[in-house]
Amino acid sequence: VVKEAKNAGAVTQQQIVQRVVDQLQDGRLHFAVEEPDNPQNFPRVFFNWRSNLLGASGKGNEYFLRYLFGADGQVLGKENEAWRPERVQVPDEIPEGKVDLIVNMDFRMTSSSALYADIVLPAATWYEKYDLSSTDMHPFVHPFTPAITSPWETRSDWDAFRAIAKTFSELAEKHLPEADDLVLRALGHDSPKEVAQPLGLVKDWLTGEAAPIPGQTMPDFIVVHRDFKNVYRQMSTLGPLAEKEVASKGIAFSGAKAYEEALRKVGSSNEDGVFFGRPSIERDQQVVDVILTYSGATNGKRSIEGWAALGKSTSLELRPIMEGAEEVSYSLHDLSVQPRVSLPTPVWSGLEQDGRRYSPFVVNVEYGVPWRTLTGRQHFYLDHEMMLDFAENLPIYRPPLGETPFSTGDGDVKPQDGGKMITVRYLTPHQKWGFHTTYTDTPKMTALFRGGPVIWINDKDAEAIGVKDNDWVEVFNRNGAIATRAVVTYRIPQGIAMMYHAQDRTLGVPATAITGKRGGTHNSVTRVIPKPTHLIGGYGQLSFGFNYYGPTGHQRDVMTFIRRLKEVNWLEG
């Protein structure tokens, strides 16, 4: 797109952007999302790093397996012919297997990522590499330090990505010349863009309600230069932007002091050209030290600079929060000697100081810092146009939509055996008795509860279909099917069933009756449901950020059938 604009005479970024905006408006250019099933828009490479992305996080596991991977996903329903989007082209036959290459880098052979990968990279475990861990659930900053070096061909995440980057850069010398990309950026929170839509009214530039203005009525457009042959050297050195500014959540200050301190800690690079003399992040230990230097949670000077910047923008005196901690500068070595308590940082609304544990909004309540909302206050009423349209302007209870496990046209896959079934709301809250998808199949972990996947069912619901505690049941709807065991309890309300999130299927399960295949994961009966209100931008705290503002777990609340497996079949599937 940028190359075509330059060939047509556009020189500056403004001219390039304006040409693209004009082409979008008159229909000569379209967004890829308008034709997701056009082969030009397929996601050709799927690189899964350190997670069971489909088996745990992928709402609609069977859809991903079929349409993304081209595997035998057990989707039972048909595409709904009654609903078609107005501006998105949907073909009669949905393409399957859009991805050409699946690469997995994880030390677990997870059920829906590694087992389907074309390439499985040998990954180091937590105890074979340097890394960093911190959450707001505890006050400490924890290092990962290797108990042993990475055995055999395994590599740490950083070393593996550097190796890939090195080969990629060598190939780019011949195959990938430098290029400019046009990147879209949403109207962000904590920036002037968050007041881009006055009164929360959405004006559609595509239909002529408003002029298409980047950063106001449409996303920002940014030209980004890609120097492919230098990706490896860029990854191995700290670049000039880190020297210019440190910024997060609307709090920004000069990065010059942090850059100088990082250079002293990690040493300089010997790479040629513009990379020479810059802070080296060639090794993972150096990366950890640079992160610790730039974070206000682990460096007193950065914390003071951050509080000073927040104080300047709010006209408040906030420096006393960090008094006495100016000389704190944690390093990887410091954390390896003993875990260290994180410092107060203005990036978060809570404080951890003087032995106090983290509580949100302390800074707002005790120091008068405005809440990061449109009004600067806490408020429950949201007057944005879309919030009003969807009756989401107040936090009220919203009952299920009344959907059924199967839709019109799905009758040929509906069970007709006359067996007893119940229809329930199926929920997948975060699990216990497990560390997400890690180590849940070890003898000690499986001994903590039933071992293997289970679903919790109300005792009266279970009695209605002849299910006793620990019986095998079949859970299914138009999205897929699961074979699992029942935990019968009075603690679950009638009409609701609950299967904890991230029960990776590393232990064998029998086949379901409806598919004849081994029965799925906890996400086999869910599906992705984008919530339109999560796409709001340019209105205070209602600003879209991928995996930042939404989506919430509404896609986990689906209607499904449950029935007892009459025969536990371990042979098929």
Side-chain angles (χ1 to χ4, degrees):
V1 170
V2 176
K3 185 178 180 180
E4 187 274 336
K6 287 182 177 180
N7 290 339
V11 178
T12 66
Q13 174 166 308
Q14 185 178 0
Q15 291 172 332
I16 294 169
V17 170
Q18 188 57 53
R19 179 176 175 82
V20 170
V21 169
D22 292 342
Q23 289 179 325
L24 285 169
Q25 189 176 26
D26 62 25
R28 286 176 291 162
L29 195 63
H30 298 272
F31 293 108
V33 72
E34 296 181 62
E35 286 190 69
D37 295 308
N38 185 323
Q40 287 183 315
N41 299 326
F42 286 0
R44 296 292 185 177
V45 178
F46 185 96
F47 200 119
N48 182 73
W49 167 66
R50 210 203 67 182
S51 66
N52 183 9
L53 195 57
L54 300 189
S57 303
K59 315 303 183 292
N61 183 64
E62 307 300 333
Y63 292 96
F64 283 111
L65 293 182
R66 173 177 292 181
Y67 297 113
L68 195 63
F69 283 7
D72 190 14
Q74 302 175 56
V75 180
L76 298 177
K78 294 181 178 179
E79 293 302 319
N80 194 339
E81 298 295 330
W83 177 85
R84 293 278 177 168
E86 294 179 4
R87 297 179 185 171
V88 178
Q89 297 185 30
V90 181
D92 293 331
E93 292 293 328
I94 307 299
E96 298 182 7
K98 295 181 178 181
V99 170
D100 289 336
L101 177 66
I102 305 169
V103 183
N104 187 82
M105 186 176 177
D106 190 3
F107 55 82
R108 299 300 317 281
M109 188 63 77
T110 48
S111 60
S112 293
S113 298
L115 292 182
Y116 290 94
D118 300 297
I119 299 172
V120 178
L121 297 175
T125 69
W126 310 119
Y127 311 106
E128 299 161 1
K129 63 185 178 184
Y130 290 99
D131 211 327
L132 200 60
S133 173
S134 180
T135 78
D136 58 6
M137 303 302 290
H138 59 71
F140 298 104
V141 182
H142 291 283
F144 294 166
T145 53
I148 60 171
T149 56
S150 301
W152 305 102
E153 295 182 330
T154 63
R155 299 191 189 188
S156 69
D157 306 330
W158 190 254
D159 287 344
F161 282 119
R162 282 185 61 250
I164 294 171
K166 193 171 191 300
T167 301
F168 174 87
S169 297
E170 292 169 353
L171 293 171
E173 288 274 3
K174 179 179 179 181
H175 301 288
L176 276 175
E178 295 181 37
D180 289 324
D181 276 347
L182 194 63
V183 177
L184 273 65
R185 181 174 62 187
L187 306 183
H189 190 17
D190 300 314
S191 77
K193 306 294 184 183
E194 70 176 18
V195 290
Q197 293 190 347
L199 305 178
L201 299 176
V202 181
K203 301 296 184 181
D204 191 347
W205 55 267
L206 194 58
T207 60
E209 289 183 349
I213 305 174
Q216 293 185 30
T217 58
M218 63 194 314
D220 272 321
F221 292 74
I222 304 164
V223 176
V224 178
H225 184 68
R226 309 292 190 190
D227 187 5
F228 297 113
K229 68 180 183 301
N230 279 315
V231 165
Y232 171 72
R233 291 194 286 181
Q234 289 174 333
M235 186 175 174
S236 302
T237 54
L238 194 63
L241 291 180
E243 187 176 10
K244 180 180 179 182
E245 187 177 66
V246 179
S248 179
K249 298 184 179 178
I251 301 168
F253 51 90
S254 170
K257 293 180 181 178
Y259 201 85
E260 181 182 341
E261 187 176 338
L263 184 59
R264 291 197 306 268
K265 281 188 176 181
V266 301
S268 59
S269 170
N270 292 321
E271 295 286 347
D272 298 333
V274 297
F275 305 98
F276 182 80
R278 296 201 173 275
S280 172
I281 49 174
E282 186 175 355
R283 295 178 292 110
D284 43 12
Q285 299 101 307
Q286 294 172 310
V287 178
V288 172
D289 275 331
V290 167
I291 292 171
L292 295 174
T293 302
Y294 269 79
S295 172
T298 52
N299 187 288
K301 292 184 177 65
R302 299 300 86 71
S303 182
I304 290 174
E305 289 173 309
W307 287 111
L310 180 58
K312 183 177 180 181
S313 64
T314 58
S315 299
L316 296 171
E317 180 52 57
L318 302 174
R319 289 174 182 261
I321 295 175
M322 272 305 299
E323 284 183 351
E326 294 89 345
E327 300 307 315
V328 174
S329 180
Y330 296 147
S331 65
L332 176 60
H333 174 75
D334 296 331
L335 300 182
S336 302
V337 172
Q338 69 180 87
R340 306 296 174 122
V341 177
S342 61
L343 304 175
T345 167
V347 171
W348 307 110
S349 65
L351 284 182
E352 288 182 324
Q353 60 182 161
D354 302 326
R356 183 182 204 164
R357 294 289 68 89
Y358 185 93
S359 295
F361 309 124
V362 171
V363 175
N364 308 104
V365 174
E366 297 185 5
Y367 289 87
V369 173
W371 267 264
R372 294 167 55 237
T373 64
L374 190 66
T375 63
R377 304 174 180 179
Q378 289 191 45
H379 55 92
F380 296 99
Y381 181 74
L382 301 172
D383 62 349
H384 190 277
E385 181 182 23
M386 286 181 64
M387 287 292 186
L388 296 171
D389 286 346
F390 284 94
E392 295 275 351
N393 47 310
L394 283 170
I396 59 174
Y397 170 73
R398 304 296 298 274
L401 294 175
E403 62 181 35
T404 59
F406 287 91
S407 300
T408 304
D410 292 339
D412 54 339
V413 296
K414 227 172 164 182
Q416 304 293 335
D417 60 2
K420 293 181 179 180
M421 295 188 302
I422 54 171
T423 304
V424 298
R425 291 174 62 186
Y426 175 85
L427 308 177
T428 60
H430 256 66
Q431 71 153 320
K432 44 190 173 179
W433 299 295
F435 315 134
H436 284 265
T437 58
T438 308
Y439 307 126
T440 53
D441 56 348
T442 62
K444 183 171 289 189
M445 291 301 295
T446 55
L448 288 177
F449 197 59
R450 303 294 176 89
V454 295
I455 188 169
W456 293 62
I457 305 174
N458 174 268
D459 55 344
K460 292 184 174 60
D461 284 341
E463 184 180 359
I465 55 175
V467 168
K468 296 180 180 180
D469 190 66
N470 222 41
D471 278 352
W472 285 97
V473 295
E474 183 180 31
V475 184
F476 61 98
N477 59 18
R478 71 190 317 268
N479 304 319
I482 308 168
T484 184
R485 286 182 296 160
V487 176
V488 177
T489 175
Y490 65 89
R491 291 182 290 173
I492 302 295
Q494 277 189 270
I496 289 179
M498 191 174 74
M499 192 167 182
Y500 280 113
H501 168 74
Q503 297 186 55
D504 192 18
R505 205 189 75 192
T506 50
L507 298 177
V509 294
T512 63
I514 196 169
T515 66
K517 302 179 186 299
R518 294 291 174 96
T521 75
H522 72 286
N523 271 324
S524 288
V525 296
T526 64
R527 68 187 188 280
V528 173
I529 309 174
K531 189 172 183 180
T533 55
H534 289 161
L535 304 179
I536 294 173
Y539 197 62
Q541 72 275 20
L542 303 179
S543 297
F544 174 76
F546 186 71
N547 201 35
Y548 174 65
Y549 174 58
T552 56
H554 65 279
Q555 73 271 48
R556 301 180 177 191
D557 188 353
V558 296
M559 304 302 293
T560 186
F561 288 127
I562 300 180
R563 65 181 176 184
R564 182 174 176 271
L565 270 179
K566 295 180 179 179
E567 179 181 350
V568 180
N569 184 353
W570 295 95
L571 300 178
E572 296 184 29

